[in-house]
Amino acid sequence: MDYIKAFVIGGMICAAVQILMDRTKMLPGRIMVLLVCSGSVLGALGIYEPFSEFAGAGANVPLLGFGNLLWKGVKESIDKNGILGLFMGGFSATAAGLCAALVFGYLVSLIFRSKMRK
């Protein structure tokens, strides 16, 4: 049942984003920034954590979950290291995900020999 709940909630988030992309003239990059910032704000307000516990991976995998993870990392680092934690908390909390995205993106580009469009 957890898999179905994660699939449905994650699908609803992605469908809402797709509607936003289709109905507005916002560029995809701006929509992605909006999602990350929204996840951070919802995390700061304490709204995202109960939603994340209910939805599981359906809420943690989309970009809203990445923004919430950034917020949690910055908050924990500020509590531990003071103002210096503001600059290093987000990096330490998301390092594994960012590293995996870079490594797998590079491997896929080697396998499929990506080229610039002309």
Side-chain angles (χ1 to χ4, degrees), residues 14-36:
C14 292
V17 172
Q18 187 64 47
I19 291 169
L20 184 65
M21 290 175 71
D22 291 342
R23 302 282 182 195
T24 65
K25 294 184 178 184
M26 291 179 69
L27 298 173
R30 290 185 181 184
I31 292 174
M32 291 189 327
V33 169
L34 178 70
L35 289 170
V36 172

Side-chain angles (χ1 to χ4, degrees), residues 13 31 33 39 54 80 93-94 118:
I13 291 171
I31 292 174
V33 169
F54 169 75
K80 184 178 177 183
T94 60
K118 293 183 181 182

Side-chain angles (χ1 to χ4, degrees), residues 6-98:
F7 177 77
V8 169
I9 292 175
M12 289 189 325
I13 291 171
C14 292
V17 172
Q18 187 64 47
I19 291 169
L20 184 65
M21 290 175 71
D22 291 342
R23 302 282 182 195
T24 65
K25 294 184 178 184
M26 291 179 69
L27 298 173
R30 290 185 181 184
I31 292 174
M32 291 189 327
V33 169
L34 178 70
L35 289 170
V36 172
C37 292
S38 298
S40 297
V41 169
L42 291 173
L45 295 174
I47 298 171
Y48 202 81
E49 193 62 33
F51 175 65
S52 175
E53 289 175 7
F54 169 75
N60 292 332
V61 172
L63 284 174
L64 288 169
F66 182 73
N68 184 47
L69 184 63
L70 281 172
W71 162 252
K72 287 194 312 190
V74 168
K75 181 182 172 197
E76 290 173 6
S77 187
I78 286 176
D79 291 342
K80 184 178 177 183
N81 300 320
I83 195 70
L84 188 60
L86 180 66
F87 302 105
M88 58 191 224
F91 292 118
S92 61
T94 60
L98 292 174

